[in-house]
Amino acid sequence: MAEAKKIGVVGATFLVAGNMMGSGVFLLPSSLAKIGTASIWGWLITTAGALLLAFVFAKLGKLAPKAGGPYAYARDWFGPYMGFQTNTIYWFANWIGNVAIPIAAVGYFSYFFPILSEPLVRCIAVLILVWALSFANMIGPAFVSRVQTVTTSFALVPILGIAIFGWFFFDADIFKGAYNVSGESNFGAISSAAALTLWAFIGVESASVTAGVVENPEKNVARATLAGVFLAAIAYIASSSVIMGMVPNGELQVSDAPFALAAAKAVGGWGGALVSLCAFIGAAGSLGGWILLTAQSAKAASDDGLFPSIFSKTNKDDVPVKGVLIVAVLMTLAVLVTSTSKTASAQFDVITSAAVVLTLLPYIYSCVACYFVVERSHTLVHTGAFWTLTSLTVVYCLWAIYGSSGTIVQYAFLFVLFITVFYPFFSEERRQQRQRSREAAAISSGAQRS
């Protein structure tokens, strides 16, 4: 069998940046408008936290590149149960979060076809995107990477265009007039903003998770991770700041296409149309990369016997087709459950909040595992410095949980406890014990017959 084509450093960089920018920024200005311009402080803090996470995953990718990302590190350093828990949480977070991507894409396409704002029509359009990109994944990772490299270029047009040229239309009074409209204290508002903006950086581990399909992962995973986060961070802060100074807060809160709204206010309808088209292509294309990431994470755990075996079955191109199909079905169910939301931005908020909280626990495990990886290969001085960095990263992740919706955190905690009951079905110790019991029973039965 010919070796499957792998992703180079440029493709992996665009995979990281595209997974973040394609899904993380296009509807967030509307979500953050409910907090106000104080959310810019949340962006700055989250960027610092994301760079710390990027450094953690870059270090892991260089010293111990493993397919499966957070799952693989939790498994190796904390044992099979933590590996099982991490993968299950991470897998659920991914396919739930994936639903937000086509919602954002369709929200922008409603600029051309307002009927897409209707819940039923929006639901159908979102499902078409989900299944189209799922089938694209069955062609192979190299194809998905090529598609995402192109679509990320389209995504950069509205993000960088607004970030650079929007300042000519920036109104300081609009920006200052909505500093904190959340009804919370400034600290509470900034904490909430930090939790929301973290969604924009979910995907920082993309190159690490897909290390199995990246060329020369010891070097390229680290390079792609840091470059992807740096590219996204600059675009995020600049574009969000300028939009909040171009669009009145009341309009921004209810918009399903905030970048297009800003462009239309600046240069007219043609600008809004161009931005909407580019945002649609960028968001839709990023869905392919996220489906790839979700399937690879499940496959890595399934290969170890810590997830149903169906997820490890691949076709001739080493694509876990059945795993992709299962993800598509679950995403379809999530779309249907949340389709009653009145606007795309409201549906987006519910999905992203749940995905962020679930993703943070695997991130914390990865930080702690990274300390052990560094301790094994570095001097005491380097290990101490890295312990400080990983500790700061863990504190940031805990703070992001603090800033999240209390109800969502409560349900996430209950979910973590609930999945414990499924671990015995994937425990190697349990399988060995059952095998020994069967062998003992067979020996006993043979002795009785004789």
Side-chain angles (χ1 to χ4, degrees), residues 337-385:
V337 168
T338 60
S339 62
T340 55
S341 299
K342 292 183 178 180
T343 65
S345 60
Q347 191 177 10
F348 180 87
D349 288 348
V350 173
I351 293 293
T352 55
S353 296
V356 165
V357 172
L358 287 175
T359 305
L360 284 168
L361 188 58
Y363 280 2
I364 290 171
Y365 290 165
S366 296
C367 291
V368 180
C370 190
Y371 170 77
F372 289 117
V373 171
V374 171
E375 183 182 45
R376 186 178 60 182
S377 57
H378 285 62
T379 65
L380 185 61
V381 173
H382 286 94
T383 301

Side-chain angles (χ1 to χ4, degrees), residues 8-18 20 49-62 69 73 201 203-211 214 217-233 293 363:
V9 64
V10 174
T13 297
F14 275 99
L15 183 67
V16 174
M20 290 187 291
L51 287 171
L52 286 172
L53 284 168
F55 183 71
V56 166
F57 283 107
K59 200 72 172 179
L60 286 168
K62 181 178 180 180
Y73 301 124
F201 290 100
V204 63
E205 75 286 359
S206 298
S208 172
V209 174
T210 56
V214 175
E218 291 81 2
K219 292 183 178 180
N220 288 343
V221 167
R223 293 171 178 172
T225 297
L226 292 171
V229 171
F230 183 73
L231 177 64
L293 184 150
Y363 280 2

Side-chain angles (χ1 to χ4, degrees), residues 220-298:
N220 288 343
V221 167
R223 293 171 178 172
T225 297
L226 292 171
V229 171
F230 183 73
L231 177 64
I234 294 175
Y236 285 157
I237 295 174
S239 61
S240 290
S241 299
V242 75
I243 286 176
M244 289 184 173
M246 293 176 67
V247 182
N249 182 265
E251 291 183 52
L252 192 57
Q253 285 192 35
V254 297
S255 175
D256 283 344
F259 279 82
L261 179 60
K265 284 185 174 293
V267 297
W270 70 267
L274 176 62
V275 166
S276 291
L277 180 61
C278 291
F280 169 77
I281 295 173
S286 78
L287 180 59
W290 270 107
I291 292 174
L292 169 64
L293 184 150
T294 306
Q296 288 292 332
S297 173

Side-chain angles (χ1 to χ4, degrees), residues 35 42 184 186-196 399-400 402-404:
I35 296 172
E184 302 180 62
N186 287 339
F187 178 77
I190 293 171
S191 297
S192 297
L196 278 172
W399 185 54
Y402 164 80
S404 301

